[in-house]
mmCIF file of all heavy atoms in Angstrom:
data_model
loop_
_atom_site.group_PDB
_atom_site.id
_atom_site.type_symbol
_atom_site.label_atom_id
_atom_site.label_comp_id
_atom_site.label_asym_id
_atom_site.label_seq_id
_atom_site.Cartn_x
_atom_site.Cartn_y
_atom_site.Cartn_z
ATOM 1 N N GLN U 118 -29.539 0.270 11.432
ATOM 2 C CA GLN U 118 -30.325 -0.074 12.620
ATOM 3 C C GLN U 118 -31.492 -1.039 12.379
ATOM 4 O O GLN U 118 -31.737 -1.912 13.204
ATOM 5 C CB GLN U 118 -30.752 1.195 13.361
ATOM 6 C CG GLN U 118 -29.598 1.714 14.211
ATOM 7 C CD GLN U 118 -29.723 3.153 14.669
ATOM 8 O OE1 GLN U 118 -30.723 3.819 14.402
ATOM 9 N NE2 GLN U 118 -28.695 3.639 15.349
ATOM 10 N N PRO U 119 -32.206 -0.938 11.238
ATOM 11 C CA PRO U 119 -33.313 -1.887 11.019
ATOM 12 C C PRO U 119 -32.863 -3.355 10.926
ATOM 13 O O PRO U 119 -33.685 -4.268 11.045
ATOM 14 C CB PRO U 119 -33.917 -1.427 9.684
ATOM 15 C CG PRO U 119 -33.452 -0.018 9.504
ATOM 16 C CD PRO U 119 -32.114 0.079 10.163
ATOM 17 N N GLU U 120 -31.575 -3.585 10.700
ATOM 18 C CA GLU U 120 -31.093 -4.966 10.628
ATOM 19 C C GLU U 120 -31.211 -5.687 11.974
ATOM 20 O O GLU U 120 -31.399 -6.910 12.021
ATOM 21 C CB GLU U 120 -29.621 -5.011 10.177
ATOM 22 C CG GLU U 120 -29.397 -4.574 8.751
ATOM 23 C CD GLU U 120 -27.915 -4.690 8.371
ATOM 24 O OE1 GLU U 120 -27.314 -5.729 8.665
ATOM 25 O OE2 GLU U 120 -27.375 -3.734 7.789
ATOM 26 N N GLY U 121 -31.087 -4.930 13.055
ATOM 27 C CA GLY U 121 -31.136 -5.540 14.393
ATOM 28 C C GLY U 121 -32.398 -6.364 14.588
ATOM 29 O O GLY U 121 -32.343 -7.588 14.800
ATOM 30 N N PRO U 122 -33.579 -5.711 14.502
ATOM 31 C CA PRO U 122 -34.845 -6.455 14.653
ATOM 32 C C PRO U 122 -35.029 -7.549 13.609
ATOM 33 O O PRO U 122 -35.606 -8.601 13.914
ATOM 34 C CB PRO U 122 -35.919 -5.368 14.491
ATOM 35 C CG PRO U 122 -35.225 -4.074 14.731
ATOM 36 C CD PRO U 122 -33.774 -4.256 14.432
ATOM 37 N N ALA U 123 -34.563 -7.327 12.379
ATOM 38 C CA ALA U 123 -34.734 -8.338 11.325
ATOM 39 C C ALA U 123 -34.010 -9.630 11.709
ATOM 40 O O ALA U 123 -34.553 -10.734 11.572
ATOM 41 C CB ALA U 123 -34.203 -7.807 9.989
ATOM 42 N N TYR U 124 -32.793 -9.486 12.199
ATOM 43 C CA TYR U 124 -32.049 -10.680 12.622
ATOM 44 C C TYR U 124 -32.683 -11.302 13.883
ATOM 45 O O TYR U 124 -32.774 -12.530 13.996
ATOM 46 C CB TYR U 124 -30.563 -10.352 12.848
ATOM 47 C CG TYR U 124 -29.742 -10.423 11.576
ATOM 48 C CD1 TYR U 124 -29.533 -9.287 10.791
ATOM 49 C CD2 TYR U 124 -29.199 -11.629 11.135
ATOM 50 C CE1 TYR U 124 -28.785 -9.354 9.614
ATOM 51 C CE2 TYR U 124 -28.450 -11.703 9.960
ATOM 52 C CZ TYR U 124 -28.254 -10.555 9.204
ATOM 53 O OH TYR U 124 -27.513 -10.637 8.034
ATOM 54 N N MET U 125 -33.149 -10.439 14.801
ATOM 55 C CA MET U 125 -33.778 -10.999 16.023
ATOM 56 C C MET U 125 -35.030 -11.794 15.682
ATOM 57 O O MET U 125 -35.293 -12.836 16.289
ATOM 58 C CB MET U 125 -34.056 -9.892 17.039
ATOM 59 C CG MET U 125 -32.788 -9.478 17.785
ATOM 60 S SD MET U 125 -33.096 -8.371 19.177
ATOM 61 C CE MET U 125 -32.917 -6.779 18.378
ATOM 62 N N ASP U 126 -35.793 -11.320 14.690
ATOM 63 C CA ASP U 126 -36.981 -12.077 14.245
ATOM 64 C C ASP U 126 -36.551 -13.451 13.736
ATOM 65 O O ASP U 126 -37.192 -14.458 14.051
ATOM 66 C CB ASP U 126 -37.716 -11.332 13.121
ATOM 67 C CG ASP U 126 -38.498 -10.132 13.641
ATOM 68 O OD1 ASP U 126 -38.678 -10.034 14.879
ATOM 69 O OD2 ASP U 126 -38.919 -9.286 12.819
ATOM 70 N N TRP U 127 -35.491 -13.475 12.950
ATOM 71 C CA TRP U 127 -35.017 -14.759 12.406
ATOM 72 C C TRP U 127 -34.620 -15.693 13.551
ATOM 73 O O TRP U 127 -34.987 -16.877 13.556
ATOM 74 C CB TRP U 127 -33.842 -14.556 11.434
ATOM 75 C CG TRP U 127 -33.485 -15.832 10.722
ATOM 76 C CD1 TRP U 127 -33.951 -16.249 9.515
ATOM 77 C CD2 TRP U 127 -32.624 -16.890 11.213
ATOM 78 N NE1 TRP U 127 -33.436 -17.502 9.216
ATOM 79 C CE2 TRP U 127 -32.616 -17.913 10.231
ATOM 80 C CE3 TRP U 127 -31.870 -17.060 12.370
ATOM 81 C CZ2 TRP U 127 -31.879 -19.091 10.375
ATOM 82 C CZ3 TRP U 127 -31.129 -18.240 12.525
ATOM 83 C CH2 TRP U 127 -31.144 -19.241 11.526
ATOM 84 N N PHE U 128 -33.884 -15.159 14.520
ATOM 85 C CA PHE U 128 -33.453 -16.006 15.648
ATOM 86 C C PHE U 128 -34.674 -16.587 16.370
ATOM 87 O O PHE U 128 -34.726 -17.771 16.687
ATOM 88 C CB PHE U 128 -32.617 -15.201 16.650
ATOM 89 C CG PHE U 128 -31.301 -14.696 16.105
ATOM 90 C CD1 PHE U 128 -30.885 -13.392 16.355
ATOM 91 C CD2 PHE U 128 -30.469 -15.517 15.356
ATOM 92 C CE1 PHE U 128 -29.668 -12.914 15.869
ATOM 93 C CE2 PHE U 128 -29.247 -15.055 14.857
ATOM 94 C CZ PHE U 128 -28.851 -13.744 15.118
ATOM 95 N N ARG U 129 -35.676 -15.728 16.622
ATOM 96 C CA ARG U 129 -36.887 -16.177 17.326
ATOM 97 C C ARG U 129 -37.597 -17.271 16.531
ATOM 98 O O ARG U 129 -37.936 -18.329 17.077
ATOM 99 C CB ARG U 129 -37.847 -14.990 17.500
ATOM 100 C CG ARG U 129 -37.927 -14.501 18.909
ATOM 101 C CD ARG U 129 -38.856 -13.295 19.042
ATOM 102 N NE ARG U 129 -38.133 -12.211 19.700
ATOM 103 C CZ ARG U 129 -37.770 -11.066 19.142
ATOM 104 N NH1 ARG U 129 -38.096 -10.806 17.876
ATOM 105 N NH2 ARG U 129 -37.104 -10.176 19.825
ATOM 106 N N GLU U 130 -37.777 -17.025 15.234
ATOM 107 C CA GLU U 130 -38.483 -17.994 14.374
ATOM 108 C C GLU U 130 -37.736 -19.319 14.289
ATOM 109 O O GLU U 130 -38.317 -20.343 13.946
ATOM 110 C CB GLU U 130 -38.661 -17.426 12.954
ATOM 111 C CG GLU U 130 -39.757 -16.367 12.871
ATOM 112 C CD GLU U 130 -39.573 -15.417 11.678
ATOM 113 O OE1 GLU U 130 -38.827 -15.767 10.739
ATOM 114 O OE2 GLU U 130 -40.186 -14.324 11.714
ATOM 115 N N ASN U 131 -36.449 -19.291 14.580
ATOM 116 C CA ASN U 131 -35.653 -20.508 14.460
ATOM 117 C C ASN U 131 -35.269 -21.096 15.811
ATOM 118 O O ASN U 131 -34.322 -21.884 15.913
ATOM 119 C CB ASN U 131 -34.441 -20.254 13.566
ATOM 120 C CG ASN U 131 -34.861 -20.133 12.105
ATOM 121 O OD1 ASN U 131 -34.978 -21.133 11.405
ATOM 122 N ND2 ASN U 131 -35.156 -18.924 11.675
ATOM 123 N N GLY U 132 -36.033 -20.711 16.828
ATOM 124 C CA GLY U 132 -35.925 -21.389 18.111
ATOM 125 C C GLY U 132 -34.823 -20.918 19.044
ATOM 126 O O GLY U 132 -34.494 -21.610 20.013
ATOM 127 N N PHE U 133 -34.256 -19.743 18.781
ATOM 128 C CA PHE U 133 -33.233 -19.240 19.699
ATOM 129 C C PHE U 133 -33.874 -18.387 20.790
ATOM 130 O O PHE U 133 -34.931 -17.785 20.595
ATOM 131 C CB PHE U 133 -32.186 -18.409 18.937
ATOM 132 C CG PHE U 133 -31.332 -19.241 18.025
ATOM 133 C CD1 PHE U 133 -31.691 -19.449 16.698
ATOM 134 C CD2 PHE U 133 -30.173 -19.845 18.502
ATOM 135 C CE1 PHE U 133 -30.908 -20.239 15.866
ATOM 136 C CE2 PHE U 133 -29.384 -20.635 17.677
ATOM 137 C CZ PHE U 133 -29.763 -20.830 16.350
ATOM 138 N N ASP U 134 -33.221 -18.380 21.938
ATOM 139 C CA ASP U 134 -33.640 -17.547 23.061
ATOM 140 C C ASP U 134 -33.028 -16.161 22.831
ATOM 141 O O ASP U 134 -31.832 -15.967 23.007
ATOM 142 C CB ASP U 134 -33.102 -18.212 24.348
ATOM 143 C CG ASP U 134 -33.305 -17.348 25.574
ATOM 144 O OD1 ASP U 134 -33.912 -16.270 25.461
ATOM 145 O OD2 ASP U 134 -32.829 -17.770 26.653
ATOM 146 N N VAL U 135 -33.867 -15.220 22.381
ATOM 147 C CA VAL U 135 -33.347 -13.908 21.970
ATOM 148 C C VAL U 135 -33.262 -12.948 23.153
ATOM 149 O O VAL U 135 -34.206 -12.820 23.935
ATOM 150 C CB VAL U 135 -34.245 -13.301 20.864
ATOM 151 C CG1 VAL U 135 -33.837 -11.858 20.559
ATOM 152 C CG2 VAL U 135 -34.174 -14.145 19.601
ATOM 153 N N ARG U 136 -32.140 -12.302 23.291
ATOM 154 C CA ARG U 136 -31.969 -11.238 24.290
ATOM 155 C C ARG U 136 -31.847 -9.916 23.550
ATOM 156 O O ARG U 136 -30.893 -9.707 22.791
ATOM 157 C CB ARG U 136 -30.719 -11.480 25.134
ATOM 158 C CG ARG U 136 -30.681 -12.837 25.819
ATOM 159 C CD ARG U 136 -31.812 -13.023 26.826
ATOM 160 N NE ARG U 136 -31.937 -14.417 27.200
ATOM 161 C CZ ARG U 136 -31.236 -14.983 28.194
ATOM 162 N NH1 ARG U 136 -30.391 -14.266 28.896
ATOM 163 N NH2 ARG U 136 -31.402 -16.261 28.471
ATOM 164 N N VAL U 137 -32.829 -9.048 23.781
ATOM 165 C CA VAL U 137 -32.814 -7.737 23.136
ATOM 166 C C VAL U 137 -31.741 -6.882 23.806
ATOM 167 O O VAL U 137 -31.737 -6.739 25.028
ATOM 168 C CB VAL U 137 -34.206 -7.068 23.262
ATOM 169 C CG1 VAL U 137 -34.190 -5.667 22.654
ATOM 170 C CG2 VAL U 137 -35.284 -7.932 22.606
ATOM 171 N N PRO U 138 -30.828 -6.325 23.021
ATOM 172 C CA PRO U 138 -29.711 -5.589 23.626
ATOM 173 C C PRO U 138 -30.128 -4.225 24.179
ATOM 174 O O PRO U 138 -30.994 -3.569 23.620
ATOM 175 C CB PRO U 138 -28.754 -5.398 22.442
ATOM 176 C CG PRO U 138 -29.653 -5.369 21.256
ATOM 177 C CD PRO U 138 -30.782 -6.318 21.558
ATOM 178 N N GLN U 139 -29.507 -3.856 25.287
ATOM 179 C CA GLN U 139 -29.698 -2.511 25.826
ATOM 180 C C GLN U 139 -28.602 -1.586 25.300
ATOM 181 O O GLN U 139 -28.764 -0.385 25.256
ATOM 182 C CB GLN U 139 -29.603 -2.537 27.365
ATOM 183 C CG GLN U 139 -30.593 -3.474 28.035
ATOM 184 C CD GLN U 139 -32.024 -3.097 27.715
ATOM 185 O OE1 GLN U 139 -32.430 -1.952 27.891
ATOM 186 N NE2 GLN U 139 -32.803 -4.063 27.219
ATOM 187 N N GLU U 140 -27.475 -2.178 24.944
ATOM 188 C CA GLU U 140 -26.299 -1.391 24.577
ATOM 189 C C GLU U 140 -25.979 -1.539 23.089
ATOM 190 O O GLU U 140 -26.279 -2.568 22.492
ATOM 191 C CB GLU U 140 -25.079 -1.853 25.400
ATOM 192 C CG GLU U 140 -25.309 -1.917 26.906
ATOM 193 C CD GLU U 140 -25.571 -0.560 27.548
ATOM 194 O OE1 GLU U 140 -25.240 0.471 26.908
ATOM 195 O OE2 GLU U 140 -26.112 -0.521 28.667
ATOM 196 N N ILE U 141 -25.337 -0.511 22.544
ATOM 197 C CA ILE U 141 -24.896 -0.536 21.140
ATOM 198 C C ILE U 141 -23.891 -1.669 20.946
ATOM 199 O O ILE U 141 -22.896 -1.766 21.671
ATOM 200 C CB ILE U 141 -24.199 0.793 20.767
ATOM 201 C CG1 ILE U 141 -25.141 1.989 20.916
ATOM 202 C CG2 ILE U 141 -23.596 0.722 19.351
ATOM 203 C CD1 ILE U 141 -26.243 2.046 19.892
ATOM 204 N N ASN U 142 -24.172 -2.558 19.994
ATOM 205 C CA ASN U 142 -23.199 -3.614 19.679
ATOM 206 C C ASN U 142 -23.478 -4.161 18.289
ATOM 207 O O ASN U 142 -24.619 -4.155 17.841
ATOM 208 C CB ASN U 142 -23.254 -4.747 20.716
ATOM 209 C CG ASN U 142 -24.342 -5.736 20.405
ATOM 210 O OD1 ASN U 142 -24.122 -6.719 19.694
ATOM 211 N ND2 ASN U 142 -25.553 -5.474 20.899
ATOM 212 N N GLU U 143 -22.440 -4.628 17.619
ATOM 213 C CA GLU U 143 -22.575 -5.137 16.253
ATOM 214 C C GLU U 143 -22.204 -6.613 16.165
ATOM 215 O O GLU U 143 -21.496 -7.062 15.255
ATOM 216 C CB GLU U 143 -21.808 -4.223 15.285
ATOM 217 C CG GLU U 143 -22.376 -2.794 15.340
ATOM 218 C CD GLU U 143 -21.992 -1.866 14.196
ATOM 219 O OE1 GLU U 143 -21.140 -2.235 13.382
ATOM 220 O OE2 GLU U 143 -22.579 -0.761 14.147
ATOM 221 N N GLY U 144 -22.728 -7.360 17.155
ATOM 222 C CA GLY U 144 -22.685 -8.822 17.091
ATOM 223 C C GLY U 144 -21.283 -9.384 16.961
ATOM 224 O O GLY U 144 -20.315 -8.874 17.531
ATOM 225 N N GLU U 145 -21.211 -10.457 16.168
ATOM 226 C CA GLU U 145 -19.956 -11.176 16.028
ATOM 227 C C GLU U 145 -18.893 -10.375 15.270
ATOM 228 O O GLU U 145 -17.757 -10.822 15.146
ATOM 229 C CB GLU U 145 -20.197 -12.532 15.336
ATOM 230 C CG GLU U 145 -19.348 -13.620 15.946
ATOM 231 C CD GLU U 145 -19.683 -15.007 15.423
ATOM 232 O OE1 GLU U 145 -19.956 -15.163 14.221
ATOM 233 O OE2 GLU U 145 -19.668 -15.931 16.248
ATOM 234 N N GLY U 146 -19.260 -9.187 14.793
ATOM 235 C CA GLY U 146 -18.230 -8.308 14.258
ATOM 236 C C GLY U 146 -17.257 -7.921 15.362
ATOM 237 O O GLY U 146 -16.054 -7.777 15.124
ATOM 238 N N ASP U 147 -17.781 -7.759 16.581
ATOM 239 C CA ASP U 147 -16.960 -7.335 17.717
ATOM 240 C C ASP U 147 -16.851 -8.357 18.843
ATOM 241 O O ASP U 147 -16.117 -8.110 19.808
ATOM 242 C CB ASP U 147 -17.491 -6.008 18.283
ATOM 243 C CG ASP U 147 -16.998 -4.796 17.494
ATOM 244 O OD1 ASP U 147 -15.832 -4.813 17.065
ATOM 245 O OD2 ASP U 147 -17.789 -3.851 17.304
ATOM 246 N N PHE U 148 -17.578 -9.459 18.773
ATOM 247 C CA PHE U 148 -17.467 -10.502 19.811
ATOM 248 C C PHE U 148 -16.982 -11.805 19.179
ATOM 249 O O PHE U 148 -17.624 -12.336 18.275
ATOM 250 C CB PHE U 148 -18.824 -10.749 20.484
ATOM 251 C CG PHE U 148 -19.317 -9.576 21.275
ATOM 252 C CD1 PHE U 148 -20.377 -8.805 20.819
ATOM 253 C CD2 PHE U 148 -18.713 -9.239 22.486
ATOM 254 C CE1 PHE U 148 -20.832 -7.708 21.551
ATOM 255 C CE2 PHE U 148 -19.169 -8.150 23.225
ATOM 256 C CZ PHE U 148 -20.224 -7.384 22.747
ATOM 257 N N LEU U 149 -15.861 -12.291 19.663
ATOM 258 C CA LEU U 149 -15.312 -13.532 19.116
ATOM 259 C C LEU U 149 -15.095 -14.531 20.242
ATOM 260 O O LEU U 149 -14.428 -14.222 21.239
ATOM 261 C CB LEU U 149 -13.976 -13.244 18.420
ATOM 262 C CG LEU U 149 -14.035 -12.288 17.212
ATOM 263 C CD1 LEU U 149 -12.638 -11.945 16.728
ATOM 264 C CD2 LEU U 149 -14.851 -12.909 16.071
ATOM 265 N N LEU U 150 -15.659 -15.722 20.092
ATOM 266 C CA LEU U 150 -15.480 -16.767 21.095
ATOM 267 C C LEU U 150 -14.209 -17.558 20.772
ATOM 268 O O LEU U 150 -14.056 -18.080 19.674
ATOM 269 C CB LEU U 150 -16.698 -17.698 21.085
ATOM 270 C CG LEU U 150 -16.692 -18.828 22.137
ATOM 271 C CD1 LEU U 150 -16.868 -18.265 23.546
ATOM 272 C CD2 LEU U 150 -17.797 -19.840 21.835
ATOM 273 N N VAL U 151 -13.313 -17.612 21.750
ATOM 274 C CA VAL U 151 -12.086 -18.422 21.600
ATOM 275 C C VAL U 151 -12.059 -19.380 22.781
ATOM 276 O O VAL U 151 -11.749 -18.979 23.904
ATOM 277 C CB VAL U 151 -10.809 -17.557 21.606
ATOM 278 C CG1 VAL U 151 -9.597 -18.409 21.200
ATOM 279 C CG2 VAL U 151 -10.939 -16.350 20.697
ATOM 280 N N GLY U 152 -12.421 -20.633 22.556
ATOM 281 C CA GLY U 152 -12.553 -21.558 23.668
ATOM 282 C C GLY U 152 -13.675 -21.069 24.578
ATOM 283 O O GLY U 152 -14.806 -20.896 24.130
ATOM 284 N N ASP U 153 -13.352 -20.822 25.851
ATOM 285 C CA ASP U 153 -14.371 -20.373 26.808
ATOM 286 C C ASP U 153 -14.392 -18.868 26.995
ATOM 287 O O ASP U 153 -15.167 -18.335 27.782
ATOM 288 C CB ASP U 153 -14.119 -21.029 28.170
ATOM 289 C CG ASP U 153 -14.486 -22.496 28.128
ATOM 290 O OD1 ASP U 153 -15.373 -22.855 27.327
ATOM 291 O OD2 ASP U 153 -13.865 -23.275 28.880
ATOM 292 N N VAL U 154 -13.506 -18.206 26.292
ATOM 293 C CA VAL U 154 -13.325 -16.773 26.506
ATOM 294 C C VAL U 154 -13.922 -15.979 25.354
ATOM 295 O O VAL U 154 -13.854 -16.398 24.197
ATOM 296 C CB VAL U 154 -11.807 -16.484 26.615
ATOM 297 C CG1 VAL U 154 -11.521 -15.002 26.571
ATOM 298 C CG2 VAL U 154 -11.241 -17.123 27.875
ATOM 299 N N ILE U 155 -14.531 -14.844 25.684
ATOM 300 C CA ILE U 155 -15.069 -13.977 24.635
ATOM 301 C C ILE U 155 -14.151 -12.756 24.484
ATOM 302 O O ILE U 155 -13.968 -11.999 25.444
ATOM 303 C CB ILE U 155 -16.506 -13.520 24.987
ATOM 304 C CG1 ILE U 155 -17.446 -14.734 25.032
ATOM 305 C CG2 ILE U 155 -16.994 -12.484 23.975
ATOM 306 C CD1 ILE U 155 -18.792 -14.454 25.693
#
Side-chain angles (χ1 to χ4, degrees):
Q118 280 163 3
E120 292 182 47
Y124 275 93
M125 282 189 268
D126 285 346
W127 188 93
F128 295 136
R129 252 178 234 112
E130 285 157 18
N131 287 274
F133 291 91
D134 172 3
V135 172
R136 305 297 166 87
V137 177
Q139 303 300 308
E140 309 295 342
I141 299 290
N142 84 90
E143 300 196 352
E145 219 172 39
D147 278 322
F148 294 108
L149 298 173
L150 183 69
V151 190
D153 287 332
V154 169
I155 296 166

